[in-house]
């Protein structure tokens, strides 16, 4: 049984997007050492992780740039910002002398949170929505609700706060 | 279960079922072992075993430690039966991280579609009360604690919390109520939570109205009202604080706004009172006045026009910037720093228009503003980087200049010196190996093709054929190999190809799979694996055979004769990917194990003079887990035993003499040397773990060998 959509659509609660993860292909091999040594905002620790970690201030995001030319951009608060940030990183890489392109920009994951303003009885919820919910107080204080359509995972807490996350 | 069928071979037909049976048997044993430690009754253990059977049939054991799956099955039973066992108990027994167990458990519950009912903290009270030793008043204290717990539940304190923490708090209060002086430390040692957690629960309980009742009142009365969960109240409080702060800051802004408007008014007055300037300055003042009226107009409008306001002021900023001594201009400029990218685009669109609002084209301007924003989305698949909206200056700020780059390079080199050193060494090694022509690139695993069995009538022929087939190392003295036949005489035919992986070894390894996969203890392994390699009569089997290594000169003096041979059978599969050839010819199909003695005795020939023979006891399979898609890698290491003729007991020695001797023999082929390196550790482990097993084995063999 799927959870019903409430009769009144606007409950006034709109989830705020907290984080967006996106990937893009710069389509050229990169010399991570060169990037790390010539960029102000880049860190590269090859022993620990095989990618350059670059940050920009506006929009406030972090990117992982791999030597194959693929890049992961995280931390943006909207899709547009994520795209803009990814383009800025690509521009930095271009300016450092690599023929970077901007292929296959794709948003991989979005995380949002909201507050429903009332407390939620998790034990009751796990009883009525058994197939979707998983509630293990010994392991995690929130209830993990895996909604099928739309394909979203919600972390529901007793205080009424809900975290939503989903992959495209 | 993923085993490839053989056509007409039938070798593995039984093996599949055997393997499954072995797994289940092993699982059953583990479940009983663990379950008895938890004091679960037989019914629970049987149910757990059923869960395990279901898990195995759904291949959930693949790629997971058996112990984890067993623990998950047991915990599932505990939950469905409602026993007072916590996941923490299981994790304590196994010394495994509780969250890892939890993950396995959740997966198991989901895959088996079993809904474990939520834990009720009341279940744990009798168990903890018993541990806290309340003596005769146990029942009363438990009752009080239960009542407290009910109250906590109604006050929403138990949602999302570990049940053990609540129990601890309830028991502590109950004990105090009945004049038992149980300290916090005692309680937490029983209940397994942290002291701060317990204190927090007590504080939360304190906040509820029930805590105000006296003991007697509490036992009789039940308050009607229910509290909100503590996290909810805390959250609400934080929200209120934030709202207050926002209101305050808004008020501040308004006050500031008023002040700035007064400032503007004053400045205008000052301007007017100044002597009129000519030329540009005149324009400036005119624009200034227009701008001021515009800004006041705009200020009255709502937020949507904020961007227009910013744009307008930014435009005027440019005029101001051109002139020096624009005192008021700099003030204006300072007020509106958010010109930014938006304003740039606007500038290009608007040009030198006085103000948009005054011309009444604010709407169209707004459209234009959104349009450039939309363009990036329409990038076609050509992948060119769209630079709109990116400020080049900003990007340049992220790039270091020459001197800075040099400094950073120096620092980075220093930081990563070791890593760079390692890389250089690795490259040097690869280059050297390339020169020597033995560089092996570690390609991703591929399954080997099957090879046909070698049909040969004599051992020599078999050897030749095999040498043709396989790429043998250049380090082997083939002439010696060919001589073996003559030396060996009646003894079963051997082959002397060292590094070759051979069908039999593979076959043997296959045989070992079922047992080994269940991760049985090494001693048992040794027992089962007793397969001395003495091959049998047919040439075919010879092909699969064994390696006979010319021992004489190499071995130490104490190891004897030229005729004495070091037998070592089919080696180590160095290529674990070869999803081996279920090869045909096979010896004992039905028997999983043949004792060394039998093999030796059966042939009627001993491996050499009984004085001292070194023979291979068997194989100890080293098993490593790889993801379910691949077969477990098997390495077979021989277990060596040296039988002393003069003593009636044999001793297993990881003796360096043997090892060094063997190593010398094998020094040509470098791979086998590595084979023996972990021998000591293997033996050590074997001896340590199953000393009795190995010892008795060895003794029996030794005794058998000594003809007296």
């Amino acid at each position: 049984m799927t959870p019903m959509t409430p009769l009144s659509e606007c409950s006034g609660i709109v989830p705020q997007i907290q984080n967006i993860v996106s990937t893009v292909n710069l389509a050229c091999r990169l010399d991570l050492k060169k990037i790390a040594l010539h960029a102000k905002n880049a860190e590269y620790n090859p022993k620990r992780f095989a990618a350059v970690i670059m940050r920009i201030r506006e929009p406030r995001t972090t990117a992982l740039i791999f030597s194959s030319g693929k890049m992961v951009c995280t931390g943006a608060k909207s899709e547009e910002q994520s795209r803009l940030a990814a383009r800025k990183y690509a521009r930095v890489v271009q300016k450092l002398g690599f023929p970077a392109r901007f292929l296959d920009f794709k948003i991989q994951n979005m995380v949002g949170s909201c507050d429903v303003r009332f407390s939620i009885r998790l034990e009751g919820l796990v009883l009525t929505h058994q197939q979707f919910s998983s509630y293990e107080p010994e392991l995690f204080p929130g209830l993990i609700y895996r909604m099928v359509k739309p394909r979203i995972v919600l972390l529901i807490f007793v205080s009424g706060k809900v975290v939503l996350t989903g992959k495209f | 279960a993923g085993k490839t069928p053989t056509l007409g071979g039938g070798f593995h037909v039984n093996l599949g079922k055997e393997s499954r049976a072995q797994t289940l048997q092993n699982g059953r044993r583990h479940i009983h072992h663990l379950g008895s430690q938890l004091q679960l009754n037989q019914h629970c253990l049987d149910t757990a075993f059923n869960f395990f059977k279901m898990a195995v049939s759904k291949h959930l054991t693949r790629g997971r430690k058996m112990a984890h799956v067993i623990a998950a099955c047991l915990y599932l039973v505990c939950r469905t039966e409602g026993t007072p066992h916590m996941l923490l108990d299981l994790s304590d027994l196994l010394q495994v991280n509780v969250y890892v167990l939890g993950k396995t458990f959740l997966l198991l519950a989901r895959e088996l579609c079993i809904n474990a009912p939520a834990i009720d903290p009341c279940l744990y009270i009798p168990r903890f009360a018993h541990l806290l030793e309340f003596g005769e008043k146990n029942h009363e204290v438990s009752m009080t604690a239960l009542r407290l717990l009910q109250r906590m539940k109604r006050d929403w304190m138990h949602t999302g919390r570990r049940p053990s923490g609540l129990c601890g708090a309830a028991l502590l209060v109950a004990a105090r109520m009945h004049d038992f002086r149980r300290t916090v430390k005692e309680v937490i040692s029983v209940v397994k939570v942290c002291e701060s957690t317990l204190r927090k629960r007590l504080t939360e309980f304190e906040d509820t109205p029930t805590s105000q009742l006296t003991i007697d009142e509490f036992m009789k009365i039940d308050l009607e009202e229910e509290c909100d969960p503590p996290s909810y109240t805390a959250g609400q409080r934080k929200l209120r604080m934030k709202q207050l702060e926002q209101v305050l800051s808004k008020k501040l802004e308004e006050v500031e706004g008023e002040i700035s408007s007064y400032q503007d008014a004053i400045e205008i007055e000052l301007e007017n009172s100044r002597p009129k300037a000519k030329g540009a300055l005149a324009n400036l003042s005119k624009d200034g006045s227009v701008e001021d009226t515009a800004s006041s107009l705009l200020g009255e409008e709502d937020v949507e026009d904020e961007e227009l306001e910013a744009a307008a002021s930014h435009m005027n900023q440019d005029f101001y910037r051109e002139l020096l001594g624009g005192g008021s201009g700099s003030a204006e400029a300072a007020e509106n720093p958010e010109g930014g990218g938006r304003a740039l685009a606007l500038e290009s669109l608007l040009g030198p228009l006085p103000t948009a609002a005054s011309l009444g084209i604010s709407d169209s301007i707004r459209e234009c503003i959104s349009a450039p924003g939309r363009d990036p989305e329409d990038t076609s698949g050509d992948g060119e980087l769209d630079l709109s909206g990116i400020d080049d200056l900003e990007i340049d700020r992220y790039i270091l200049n020459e001197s800075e780059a040099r400094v950073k390079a120096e620092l980075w080199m220093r930081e990563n010196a070791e890593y760079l050193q390692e890389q250089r060494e690795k490259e040097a090694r690869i280059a050297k190996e390339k020169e020597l022509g033995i560089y092996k690139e570690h390609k991703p695993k591929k399954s080997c093709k099957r090879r046909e069995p070698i049909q040969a009538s004599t051992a020599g022929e078999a050897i030749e054929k095999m040498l043709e087939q396989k790429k043998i190392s250049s380090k082997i003295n083939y002439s010696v190999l060919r001589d073996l036949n003559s030396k060996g005489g009646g003894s079963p035919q051997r082959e002397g190809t060292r590094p070759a992986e051979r069908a039999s070894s593979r076959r043997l390894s296959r045989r070992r799979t079922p047992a080994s996969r269940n991760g049985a203890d090494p001693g048992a392994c040794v027992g089962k694996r007793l397969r001395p390699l003495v091959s049998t009569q047919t040439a075919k089997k010879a092909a699969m055979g064994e390696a006979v290594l010319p021992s004489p000169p190499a071995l130490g003096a104490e190891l004897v004769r030229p005729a004495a041979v070091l037998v070592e059978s089919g080696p180590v599969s160095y290529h674990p990917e070869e999803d081996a050839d279920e090869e045909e010819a096979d010896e004992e199909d039905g028997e999983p194990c043949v004792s060394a003695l039998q093999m030796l005795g059966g042939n009627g020939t001993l491996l050499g003079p009984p004085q001292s023979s070194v023979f291979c006891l068997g194989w100890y399979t080293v098993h490593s887990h790889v993801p379910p898609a691949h077969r477990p890698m098997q390495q077979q290491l021989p277990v060596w035993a040296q039988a002393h003729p003069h003593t009636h007991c044999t001793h297993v020695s990881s003796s360096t003499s043997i090892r060094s001797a063997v190593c010398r023999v094998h020094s040509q082929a470098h791979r086998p040397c590595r084979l023996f390196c972990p021998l000591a550790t293997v033996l050590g482990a074997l001896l340590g773990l199953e000393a009795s097993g190995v010892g008795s084995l060895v003794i029996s063999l030794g005794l058998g060998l000594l003809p007296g």
Side-chain angles (χ1 to χ4, degrees):
Chain A
M1 115 205 165
T2 48
M4 292 193 330
T5 324
L7 293 164
S8 58
E9 275 293 341
C10 55
S11 50
I13 302 168
V14 178
Q16 307 295 321
I17 299 185
Q18 302 291 348
N19 182 24
I20 295 188
V21 178
S22 56
T23 54
V24 72
N25 186 4
L26 302 177
C28 70
R29 279 219 79 92
L30 302 172
D31 180 2
L32 295 184
K33 207 166 116 186
K34 182 170 175 209
I35 295 179
L37 295 181
H38 288 263
K40 214 179 270 195
N41 50 338
E43 53 181 87
Y44 178 43
N45 198 345
K47 245 193 303 191
R48 226 182 48 194
F49 191 55
V52 167
I53 303 166
M54 199 183 284
R55 301 185 163 85
I56 56 173
R57 285 177 282 267
E58 177 58 48
R60 203 158 218 292
T61 48
T62 308
L64 300 172
I65 306 176
F66 293 85
S67 56
S68 61
K70 302 254 171 79
M71 182 171 80
V72 179
C73 174
T74 63
K77 298 268 196 250
S78 83
E79 298 98 310
E80 264 317 301
Q81 278 190 7
S82 189
R83 200 194 175 86
L84 176 66
R87 282 192 292 127
K88 287 196 180 176
Y89 287 114
R91 185 79 184 117
V92 173
V93 171
Q94 264 182 3
K95 286 216 161 183
L96 288 173
F98 298 94
R101 312 236 316 257
F102 199 72
L103 296 170
D104 308 324
F105 174 78
K106 180 165 188 257
I107 299 203
Q108 300 288 351
N109 191 11
M110 295 171 71
V111 181
S113 71
C114 68
D115 187 359
V116 299
R117 308 289 174 84
F118 55 83
S119 41
I120 305 175
R121 201 172 263 288
L122 302 177
E123 308 87 38
L125 184 56
V126 79
L127 278 176
T128 45
H129 290 248
Q130 283 170 5
Q131 318 89 294
F132 311 106
S133 9
S134 152
Y135 170 53
E136 279 301 313
E138 275 205 35
L139 295 171
F140 188 63
L143 185 149
I144 305 169
Y145 193 103
R146 287 173 208 271
M147 199 177 283
V148 172
K149 187 170 141 62
R151 201 173 161 75
I152 290 200
V153 174
L154 300 100
L155 300 175
I156 306 172
F157 295 91
V158 69
S159 55
K161 300 257 179 12
V162 180
V163 174
L164 308 98
T165 172
K167 248 179 101 72
F168 277 14
Chain B
K3 292 207 195 303
T4 46
T6 53
L7 212 54
F11 170 67
H12 276 245
V13 165
N14 257 347
L15 215 51
K17 298 203 186 107
E18 274 181 30
S19 162
R20 179 57 61 87
Q22 274 285 25
T23 317
L24 292 177
Q25 209 181 26
N26 236 331
R28 197 191 183 87
R29 199 179 45 224
H30 278 152
I31 287 176
H32 276 264
H33 178 69
L34 214 50
S36 56
Q37 284 177 315
L38 291 170
Q39 282 124 24
L40 288 172
N41 61 28
Q42 192 55 39
H43 166 70
C44 292
L45 295 178
D46 290 337
T47 322
F49 184 57
N50 279 333
F51 288 152
F52 182 70
K53 272 196 279 196
M54 285 197 270
V56 169
S57 66
K58 292 195 182 212
H59 306 298
L60 297 175
T61 45
R62 290 263 186 98
R64 278 188 192 88
K65 290 212 162 86
M66 177 87 141
H68 294 353
V69 181
I70 303 279
C73 292
L74 280 168
Y75 186 59
L76 197 55
V77 162
C78 290
R79 285 289 286 273
T80 48
E81 300 287 321
T83 64
H85 289 104
M86 302 189 289
L87 199 57
L88 266 171
D89 302 328
L90 277 167
S91 137
D92 268 344
L93 279 174
L94 290 173
Q95 295 295 306
V96 173
N97 187 356
V98 69
Y99 294 108
V100 170
L101 281 185
K103 199 167 152 199
T104 319
F105 162 71
L106 284 175
L107 187 102
L108 193 75
R110 193 171 52 204
E111 291 297 316
L112 300 180
C113 304
I114 293 172
N115 244 315
I119 306 172
D120 190 0
C122 303
L123 286 174
Y124 294 139
I125 295 281
R127 175 183 159 188
F128 291 141
H130 175 72
L131 285 170
L132 282 171
E133 289 167 14
F134 290 119
E136 287 156 1
K137 291 183 107 186
N138 197 334
H139 182 75
E140 288 171 33
V141 178
S142 304
M143 282 295 121
T144 318
L146 277 169
R147 218 181 138 74
L148 279 163
L149 217 43
Q150 308 277 13
R151 188 62 232 173
M152 284 183 189
K153 277 203 242 182
R154 291 189 43 195
D155 285 335
W156 286 69
M157 265 178 65
H158 76 300
T159 321
R161 272 82 186 281
R162 276 218 179 136
S164 42
L166 285 163
C167 289
L171 275 169
L172 189 61
V173 176
R176 293 286 164 84
M177 282 164 74
H178 287 268
D179 301 322
F180 282 98
R181 231 175 282 125
R182 295 282 176 271
T183 61
V184 171
K185 281 206 177 21
E186 288 170 9
V187 173
I188 61 176
S189 65
V190 161
V191 157
K192 298 185 197 167
V193 287
C194 183
E195 195 181 317
S196 54
T197 313
L198 204 58
R199 282 194 202 287
K200 192 149 181 275
R201 299 286 168 269
L202 292 170
T203 325
E204 286 168 3
F205 187 60
E206 227 178 306
D207 290 335
T208 66
T210 314
S211 62
Q212 306 302 323
L213 301 172
T214 67
I215 297 178
D216 292 327
E217 283 173 0
F218 172 71
M219 299 309 279
K220 297 197 196 88
I221 309 172
D222 225 356
L223 289 176
E224 281 302 320
E225 54 176 315
E226 295 178 357
C227 305
D228 288 323
S231 51
Y232 175 75
T233 36
Q236 292 302 307
R237 205 182 308 144
K238 251 191 259 176
L239 209 64
R240 259 178 278 132
M241 296 291 288
K242 236 197 275 184
Q243 279 171 347
L244 271 172
E245 264 175 49
Q246 274 178 358
V247 168
L248 276 172
S249 60
K250 252 188 225 152
K251 288 218 174 120
L252 273 170
E253 274 173 31
E254 284 170 25
V255 172
E256 271 180 25
E258 282 180 27
I259 293 176
S260 63
S261 67
Y262 289 145
Q263 232 181 346
D264 293 347
I266 293 170
E267 274 160 19
I268 293 171
E269 286 303 313
L270 283 173
E271 286 274 337
N272 293 338
S273 57
R274 269 197 222 131
K276 291 273 178 205
K278 37 201 172 339
L281 280 176
N283 281 338
L284 163 63
S285 54
K286 239 196 284 171
D287 284 329
S289 57
V290 170
E291 192 247 279
D292 284 339
T293 49
S295 59
S296 58
L297 268 174
L298 286 174
E300 285 162 15
E301 286 169 345
D302 41 343
V303 184
E304 286 149 12
D305 285 342
E306 241 178 86
E307 42 193 46
L308 290 169
E309 187 182 325
S313 57
H314 189 88
M315 279 190 319
N316 292 291
Q317 261 180 58
D318 287 346
F319 289 122
Y320 282 74
R321 258 193 250 126
E322 283 162 22
L323 302 151
L324 307 165
S328 56
S330 56
E332 297 280 1
E335 270 174 25
N336 295 308
E338 323 98 48
R342 274 288 158 73
L344 281 173
L346 266 177
E347 256 190 336
S348 52
L349 286 167
L350 293 174
L353 295 169
T355 40
S358 59
L359 291 174
I361 52 171
S362 29
D363 280 329
S364 43
I365 288 177
R366 227 174 284 136
E367 271 179 41
C368 296
I369 293 170
S370 49
R374 244 185 271 125
D375 277 344
E377 292 165 20
D378 302 335
T379 357
S380 49
D382 72 339
E384 280 315 307
L385 178 58
D386 185 6
L387 291 175
S388 60
I390 297 180
D391 183 7
D392 245 19
L393 289 169
E394 186 196 340
I395 303 289
D396 281 334
R397 262 184 264 136
Y398 286 124
I399 299 179
L400 298 167
N401 61 32
E402 282 293 318
S403 52
E404 289 173 348
R406 241 178 294 131
V407 174
K408 184 165 183 190
E410 209 186 293
L411 285 170
W412 191 85
M413 291 298 180
R414 236 184 293 155
E415 274 294 317
N416 295 286
E418 302 125 32
Y419 175 76
L420 292 168
Q421 182 70 15
E422 281 171 34
Q423 292 299 98
R424 258 173 277 156
E425 284 169 10
K426 187 170 161 196
E427 272 168 37
R429 191 168 31 96
I430 292 176
K432 216 177 8 161
E433 286 183 350
K434 273 200 171 114
E435 272 175 48
L436 297 176
I438 50 179
Y439 174 56
K440 251 195 147 321
E441 250 185 70
H442 289 279
K443 295 212 186 86
K445 300 182 177 181
K446 287 187 279 194
S447 47
C448 250
K449 307 179 272 259
R450 272 202 209 174
R451 289 207 194 87
E452 289 162 35
I454 299 173
Q455 317 263 347
S457 49
T458 67
E461 223 181 291
I463 295 175
E464 311 241 6
K465 288 210 173 148
M466 215 204 52
L467 290 175
E468 283 171 48
Q469 244 187 25
K470 297 231 179 186
K471 298 176 202 120
I472 304 298
S473 161
S474 54
K475 311 262 171 174
I476 293 179
N477 192 351
Y478 294 116
S479 50
V480 174
L481 289 180
R482 301 218 176 84
D483 287 341
L484 284 177
N485 255 345
S486 45
K487 281 229 170 97
S491 57
Q493 288 117 15
R494 318 256 149 83
E495 279 176 15
T497 47
R498 274 275 70 234
E501 299 139 21
R502 273 162 273 133
S504 79
S505 68
R506 279 181 244 122
R507 185 174 34 84
L508 290 172
S509 70
R510 252 333 80 253
R511 276 289 177 81
R512 284 174 184 48
T513 320
S516 60
R517 219 186 248 160
N518 301 329
D521 28 51
C525 286
V526 170
K528 281 188 198 128
R529 311 276 169 62
L530 239 226
R531 288 182 150 292
L533 20 112
V534 180
S535 85
T536 66
Q537 289 77 14
T538 69
K540 231 201 229 169
K541 296 187 184 167
M544 334 251 220
E546 295 102 21
V548 166
L549 314 159
S551 56
L555 284 179
E558 64 269 26
L559 308 175
V560 164
R561 255 81 262 195
V565 284
L566 285 173
V567 178
E568 188 219 350
S569 103
V572 187
S573 4
Y574 284 103
H575 298 295
E577 64 280 345
E578 51 151 326
D579 227 294
D581 320 351
E582 333 266 321
E583 259 168 71
E584 30 11 278
D586 172 12
E587 320 159 333
E588 11 332 72
D589 256 279
E591 301 167 71
C593 277
V594 177
S595 79
L597 203 43
Q598 262 184 309
M599 296 284 269
L600 291 171
N603 282 324
T605 55
L606 284 176
L607 298 180
Q611 238 125 28
S612 83
S613 22
V614 177
F615 56 91
C616 182
L617 258 188
W619 296 101
Y620 173 71
T621 299
V622 171
H623 208 262
S624 60
H625 272 287
V626 289
H630 307 282
R631 292 219 172 273
M633 180 169 93
Q634 283 140 25
Q635 272 182 331
Q636 298 183 348
L637 310 168
V639 176
W640 293 94
Q642 183 177 27
H644 277 286
H646 304 296
T647 60
H648 279 263
C649 56
T650 57
H651 70 274
V652 177
S653 65
S654 57
S655 69
T656 43
S657 60
I658 300 178
R659 221 171 91 203
S660 55
V662 169
C663 274
R664 259 178 275 143
V665 172
H666 297 310
S667 58
Q668 290 105 14
H670 57 278
R671 266 195 276 170
C673 269
R674 265 194 263 140
L675 174 73
F676 293 106
C677 290
L679 186 64
T681 43
V682 165
L683 273 174
L686 281 176
L687 286 172
L689 286 168
E690 291 287 318
S692 54
V694 172
S696 58
L697 220 68
V698 164
I699 288 171
S700 66
L701 285 162
L703 288 173
L705 271 181
L706 302 174

